[in-house]
Amino acid sequence: MSTDAIVLLKQDHKEIRNLFRKFNHAGESATQRQGQIVDQILEALTVHTYLENECMYPRVQELLPDLTQDVLESYEEHHVADVLCAELAALRPDSDRFHAKTTVLIESVTHHMDEEEQDWFPKVREGLGRKQLQDLGAEMIELKKKAPRSPAQPSALKKTVDALIR
Ligand SMILES: [Fe+2]
Ligand SMILES: [Fe+2]
């Protein structure tokens, strides 16, 4: 199995996009089903964000300082998504704002993943090369074992809280 960091992150993106598609096709009236899908979305995003925030972004920033601006923009985009995730976790699926908030989350995360895949990952692949990407991926596989799974866990919101109180 490849441990290439970019391959692993793209697999996560694919899984997240599938969940987004499921939500969009669930039908507005399928409140309970939508609630279940959003639970899965929140779990997948919490784990993925943790791996990028704790491993991929800081390592890339360290090894490829030219990409610092991209990394900083990514932290901000994740921050917006984190806030929406935290709010959604506290909202009942039959609440007025549940569907709208999920739609905005889906739009903003889709934009962010598109940017990573089309623009950022190619630059990182060029800058780091095979061996470093495999080492990074191996590190992420280890990290995944202790990753938070819900936005309510303190380690999941650490970056968001840090940004708010800074
Ligand atoms: Fe990201
Ligand atoms: Fe990502």
Side-chain angles (χ1 to χ4, degrees):
M1 194 187 86
S2 168
T3 67
D4 181 289
I6 291 176
V7 172
L8 296 176
L9 292 174
K10 277 189 177 171
Q11 277 168 5
D12 279 1
H13 286 189
K14 204 172 154 196
E15 188 193 323
I16 292 164
R17 286 183 202 274
N18 277 336
L19 292 170
F20 287 173
R21 220 168 288 133
K22 275 192 198 168
F23 179 87
N24 288 333
H25 290 129
E28 294 244 5
S29 56
T31 310
Q32 202 194 350
R33 172 92 187 108
Q34 284 181 354
Q36 288 163 348
I37 301 167
V38 167
D39 285 345
Q40 292 175 291
I41 289 175
L42 296 184
E43 180 174 341
L45 287 180
T46 304
V47 174
H48 183 73
T49 294
Y50 184 78
L51 299 183
E52 290 191 339
N53 280 351
E54 300 298 319
C55 181
M56 190 70 180
Y57 294 159
R59 290 297 177 283
V60 169
Q61 199 177 356
E62 198 180 287
L63 297 165
L64 304 171
D66 282 356
L67 297 186
T68 295
Q69 220 30 55
D70 291 329
V71 171
L72 293 178
E73 195 186 309
S74 284
Y75 279 133
E76 293 305 323
E77 290 184 345
H78 274 258
H79 169 64
V80 171
D82 286 349
V83 171
L84 292 169
C85 284
E87 288 174 346
L88 268 175
L91 217 54
R92 290 164 46 106
D94 59 359
S95 136
D96 279 353
R97 302 176 71 173
F98 189 82
H99 194 274
K101 210 178 273 296
T102 306
T103 303
V104 173
L105 176 71
I106 289 177
E107 283 169 2
S108 88
V109 172
T110 300
H111 160 84
H112 173 71
M113 292 192 301
D114 287 347
E115 237 173 37
E116 286 191 328
E117 287 170 17
Q118 288 158 22
D119 182 46
W120 197 67
F121 288 161
K123 289 189 211 165
V124 173
R125 180 170 297 290
E126 205 188 302
L128 291 188
R130 242 170 89 93
K131 172 80 176 80
Q132 267 177 324
L133 283 171
Q134 281 183 346
D135 292 348
L136 257 178
E139 213 180 306
M140 287 198 298
I141 290 171
E142 273 312 298
L143 204 60
K144 201 167 192 168
K145 294 176 189 162
K146 60 160 198 169
R149 311 227 149 240
S150 133
Q153 281 170 262
S155 53
L157 271 180
K158 195 184 163 299
K159 278 253 158 24
T160 302
V161 173
D162 285 353
L164 285 172
I165 56 178
R166 221 177 268 148

